[in-house]
Amino acid sequence: MINWTTPTYFGNPALAWAEALLLSLAIAIVLDLLKRWSVRHLGRVAQRTSNYYDDLFVALLRSTQRWLLIIISLYIGSYTLMLSVEARTIV
């Protein structure tokens, strides 16, 4: 029987989409905090060494944009949804 009170989108109820979105938001926040912490602490270590590669790694971390972290978190959050094969290939 079809439940008309719960809207579904691409085979998932709206609550599942909300849960996936909240999970993605939480992951994005954690990734951003982890990035900030890593840049701060690894930057201190890189200043004390004469190695070029640790400076390069800190510069790469520092230049990581927030939109990339959001895309990664949305990708991870999408795995909580039951998507079709076609939709999964798009994600």
Side-chain angles (χ1 to χ4, degrees):
M1 176 170 254
I2 297 175
N3 186 357
W4 296 104
T5 60
T6 305
T8 59
Y9 305 100
F10 299 103
N12 292 291
L15 184 60
W17 285 97
E19 289 172 352
L21 188 61
L22 284 175
L23 177 65
S24 297
L25 178 64
I27 291 171
I29 291 170
V30 168
L31 287 176
D32 190 50
L33 291 174
L34 185 63
K35 176 195 149 197
R36 290 180 190 197
W37 180 84
S38 299
V39 166
R40 186 177 337 117
H41 290 287
L42 293 176
R44 290 180 192 156
V45 172
Q47 287 176 348
R48 288 183 272 174
T49 63
S50 61
N51 192 351
Y52 170 74
Y53 295 109
D54 55 1
D55 295 330
L56 178 65
F57 184 69
V58 171
L60 286 173
L61 269 177
R62 186 175 287 127
S63 65
T64 302
Q65 299 292 316
R66 187 169 283 148
W67 60 265
L68 179 63
L69 300 177
I70 292 171
I71 289 174
I72 292 170
S73 66
L74 286 172
Y75 177 75
I76 295 170
S78 73
Y79 274 94
T80 63
L81 299 171
M82 298 297 294
L83 297 175
S84 66
V85 174
E86 295 84 20
R88 184 59 64 196
T89 57
I90 293 171
V91 174

